[in-house]
Amino acid sequence: MKNNNSLFTWVVVIAAIAVLTVIAVFSKGKAPETITDTGSLKIGDAAPSFNLPSATGSQVSLDQYDAKPVLLYFNEGVGCQPCWKQIIDLEKNTGFTFYKIPIVAIAPNSTSDWRPIINSNPMETPILADTDNSVSKSYGALEMKSSMHGGMSPGHTFILLDSEHKVSWIGDYPGMNMLASEIISVIKDKFGDKPS
């Protein structure tokens, strides 16, 4: 009987450790693999230009950010709450705002689809409607591991452009959640300790 109790105790302990490990992984997000290309773009390539409507009604182009680094965030859009919560988390992070690097979110939904979310969750980040996925495709964001829809929409991919709008870093997050501190660490590594 004693052996059975010991065995049961060990099974419970191992199961608890497994559950805690899974919770820890998903609460912190899955760190991206080292990515040197998206299939369409590699580190050092010039970023394709774009001009898309934003959820607030204006047109936004890459040229508007001339001579400034830009963080592009390709995501699933309105049906993915972690995707747009990610934008809010970044905007609130003082370490991220210190660098003054604009975020531009690109998703497959229409501007009208986004309006209720923005009304309930105010965001300053331009959210661009790439309804035909042409921009996401040109950046290779449809083929990343985080895309759960077989090339039909992006998943959770960040592409950091330098001030000349060349690809400086690519981060893909299949866990649909990344810590702002991870992005800050990348920005600090690429651009030093001074704001852009």
Side-chain angles (χ1 to χ4, degrees):
M1 189 66 142
K2 189 174 181 182
N3 285 344
N4 285 343
N5 284 340
S6 295
L7 179 61
F8 178 76
T9 301
W10 276 110
V11 168
V12 169
V13 168
I14 290 168
I17 291 170
V19 168
L20 290 172
T21 301
V22 168
I23 290 170
V25 166
F26 283 99
S27 65
K28 291 183 177 179
K30 292 181 181 176
E33 299 172 12
T34 300
I35 300 172
T36 57
D37 68 85
T38 65
S40 299
L41 291 175
K42 63 182 183 301
I43 302 296
D45 283 353
S49 61
F50 56 79
N51 186 9
L52 293 171
S54 77
T56 57
S58 61
Q59 290 287 126
V60 175
S61 71
L62 183 57
D63 293 341
Q64 288 175 228
Y65 302 97
D66 193 31
K68 284 188 70 68
V70 182
L71 180 64
L72 303 178
Y73 171 36
F74 295 90
N75 65 90
E76 284 186 37
V78 297
C80 174
Q81 185 180 27
C83 295
W84 45 268
K85 290 287 187 184
Q86 183 79 85
I87 297 168
I88 296 168
D89 291 344
L90 283 169
E91 287 183 351
K92 288 180 177 177
N93 188 284
T94 56
F96 187 82
T97 56
F98 168 80
Y99 283 97
K100 300 177 183 173
I101 293 178
I103 314 167
V104 176
I106 299 172
N109 310 102
S110 69
T111 56
S112 58
D113 289 337
W114 275 107
R115 283 190 199 111
I117 292 172
I118 293 173
N119 290 340
S120 301
N121 304 273
M123 294 175 254
E124 294 178 13
T125 297
I127 299 173
L128 309 188
D130 184 25
T131 54
D132 64 359
N133 279 319
S134 59
V135 175
S136 296
K137 185 175 182 180
S138 70
Y139 277 82
L142 300 180
E143 306 303 326
M144 303 300 284
K145 285 187 177 180
S146 66
S147 175
M148 297 191 296
H149 304 286
M152 296 180 65
S153 70
H156 210 89
T157 304
F158 290 87
I159 298 178
L160 180 63
L161 308 179
D162 65 17
S163 59
E164 296 178 353
H165 294 168
K166 292 183 178 177
V167 177
S168 180
W169 172 78
I170 302 163
D172 189 54
Y173 294 80
M176 296 297 183
N177 182 30
M178 50 72 63
L179 299 174
S181 58
E182 292 177 43
I183 289 281
I184 293 162
S185 177
V186 169
I187 291 170
K188 184 175 181 179
D189 180 57
K190 299 294 180 185
F191 304 119
D193 290 319
K194 294 181 180 178
S196 63

